Amino acid sequence: MSAPTTAAILGIETSCDETAAAVVGADGRIRSSVVSSQIDRHTAYGGVVPEIAGRAHLELLPAVLGLALTDAGLRRRAPGLEAVAATSGPGLIGSLLVGISEAKALALAWDVPFVAVNHLEGHLFAALLDHSGPGRSPDDGAAGDWPLVVALVSGGHSLIVAMEGPGRYRLLGATLDDAAGEAFDKVARFLGLGYPGGPAIERAAASGDPSAFAFPRALVDDGLDLSFSGLKTAVVRAVQKHPDASNEDVAASFQQAVVDVLVAKLVRAAQTTGAGAMCLGGGVAANGPLRLALEAAGAELGIPVYLPDRAMCTDNASMIAAAAWWQLVHLGPSPLDTAADPNLPLRLLP
Ligand code: KG4
Ligand code: ZN
């Protein structure tokens, strides 16, 4: 087997219900990316069961790691890596511990640095990994499009962030209640569409009428914070009032409300910060109608829109390894006693 030609970091992601490992080169190139979804283990419960997730990570991680190394053309026992990185938070504590412990053990065994990565920062890096805009390489902090404004919309978080460069984040707004993905998941469960809710709603909505119900667009004309719990309640009330409404119409109208709000907020964020581009990150960024609507808004505003590949929006380890590269070069390795932190906040500019 040939030796690696470029330095590479192994990233591990186990914060929720995906067991993932990836190898990313110093040039930002993804050399391998393996994601093992646990969806089938949680479906019967209608959502992620933390104990099941933790045990499943333990069971799946060795095979996922082995595959990520061999896919990248590296030897399993002596891969010659630059560092080993893992998500240290936010996420489910039992799940985080599996990945972070494995990464520390491998870093010790291979005598290379360990890098603890914030999952949210990983999602922000996903927007930089996969397009030809700024930050194509993890060292590239000086391109002309900064700041980028990013809607980081996942199952646990919904933030509007101004990214002034890799590692330089300002929080512009956040959800006051449910995360966008959480709203998709709750509405899907209510409609009996299954878990995870986002893809299920998107599928149902494809044959529905987005104007069938005029659901509220909370705070749409007001600042950069978000709110989705009133929308979820409005869906429940509408279905109770119109029990024979089609799931497709309800799903399409709900999805349109989320899309309208997220696009309006990101446009406002771009206008108020003079951003050079708009981006999406996190699982909800995989949503087709949201991607199309943001592209259209970008064209109207005359600024580019950077969308990570759909697979790069949902949880994966490439984004963790990419963030780890920047962190290793600019902030150095993490101590081996770094703890997993279920509530780890995004490191913001002062
Ligand atoms: O980033 P992610 O994989 O995990 C977290 O960090 O939370 O995001 C998962 C969330 C779930 O709430 C899921 O329903 C949502 O992203 N999601 C979607 C789509 N795919 C995943 N929401 C809307 N449309 C999608 N296609
Ligand atoms: Zn995530």
Side-chain angles (χ1 to χ4, degrees):
M1 169 117 0
S2 62
T5 49
T6 55
I9 288 183
L10 170 67
I12 298 175
E13 156 61 41
T14 62
S15 67
C16 189
D17 61 343
E18 322 280 356
T19 312
V23 174
V24 172
D27 54 358
R29 195 168 67 85
I30 299 168
R31 292 178 51 183
S32 68
S33 184
V34 180
V35 181
S36 173
S37 170
Q38 305 175 2
I39 284 174
D40 48 347
R41 299 179 190 224
H42 300 281
T43 312
Y45 305 96
V48 178
V49 183
E51 289 76 10
I52 293 178
R55 276 199 298 270
H57 286 305
L58 266 180
E59 185 190 320
L60 297 168
L61 188 55
V64 167
L65 274 174
L67 202 55
L69 292 174
T70 47
D71 274 3
L74 300 173
R75 280 186 298 245
R76 288 190 189 206
R77 295 208 169 178
L81 293 159
E82 202 69 18
V84 182
T87 304
S88 61
L92 303 169
I93 185 67
S95 295
L96 291 167
L97 280 169
V98 175
I100 194 174
S101 309
E102 181 72 29
K104 289 175 182 177
L106 290 175
L108 264 178
W110 293 332
D111 196 21
V112 296
F114 161 70
V115 186
V117 175
N118 184 308
H119 182 79
L120 301 174
E121 187 160 16
H123 276 305
L124 293 176
F125 265 81
L128 303 183
L129 252 180
D130 227 48
H131 60 75
S132 54
R136 174 98 192 112
S137 118
D139 281 333
D140 174 6
D145 283 344
W146 308 110
L148 311 179
V149 285
V150 190
L152 203 175
V153 276
S154 69
H157 296 85
S158 289
L159 312 173
I160 308 281
V161 176
M163 202 171 173
E164 296 185 358
R168 298 175 56 77
Y169 316 119
R170 284 190 200 286
L171 186 63
L172 302 176
T175 183
L176 303 177
D177 38 58
D178 291 352
E182 189 180 355
F184 271 95
D185 293 334
K186 285 179 175 170
V187 167
R189 194 178 319 155
F190 172 70
L191 295 177
L193 294 173
Y195 163 84
I201 295 262
E202 185 175 348
R203 272 193 303 277
S207 47
D209 173 6
S211 55
F213 292 91
F215 289 135
R217 272 78 169 148
L219 306 177
V220 73
D221 297 318
D222 184 11
L224 292 170
D225 283 332
L226 301 155
S227 165
F228 294 107
S229 77
L231 172 58
K232 174 197 63 194
T233 308
V235 170
V236 172
R237 291 230 176 90
V239 172
Q240 283 164 346
K241 200 167 158 200
H242 306 278
D244 43 1
S246 84
N247 262 358
E248 287 74 15
D249 283 352
V250 176
S253 303
F254 161 78
Q255 178 176 262
Q256 191 61 49
V258 177
V259 167
D260 286 353
V261 169
L262 290 177
V263 171
K265 296 284 170 172
L266 215 41
V267 164
R268 178 169 306 130
Q271 286 169 329
T272 53
T273 57
M278 298 190 286
C279 304
L280 292 173
V284 178
N287 186 269
L290 173 61
R291 297 166 74 91
L292 286 175
L294 192 64
E295 297 263 19
E300 200 167 309
L301 267 185
I303 65 172
V305 171
Y306 299 138
L307 299 174
D309 269 7
R310 279 169 183 251
M312 204 48 88
C313 295
T314 47
D315 288 350
N316 65 85
S318 306
M319 66 186 197
I320 301 304
W325 262 118
W326 182 87
Q327 212 169 301
L328 183 66
V329 171
H330 294 90
L331 304 176
S334 309
L336 276 176
D337 62 357
T338 304
D341 181 351
N343 302 311
L344 187 68
L346 187 64
R347 195 174 3 89
L348 298 172
L349 286 168

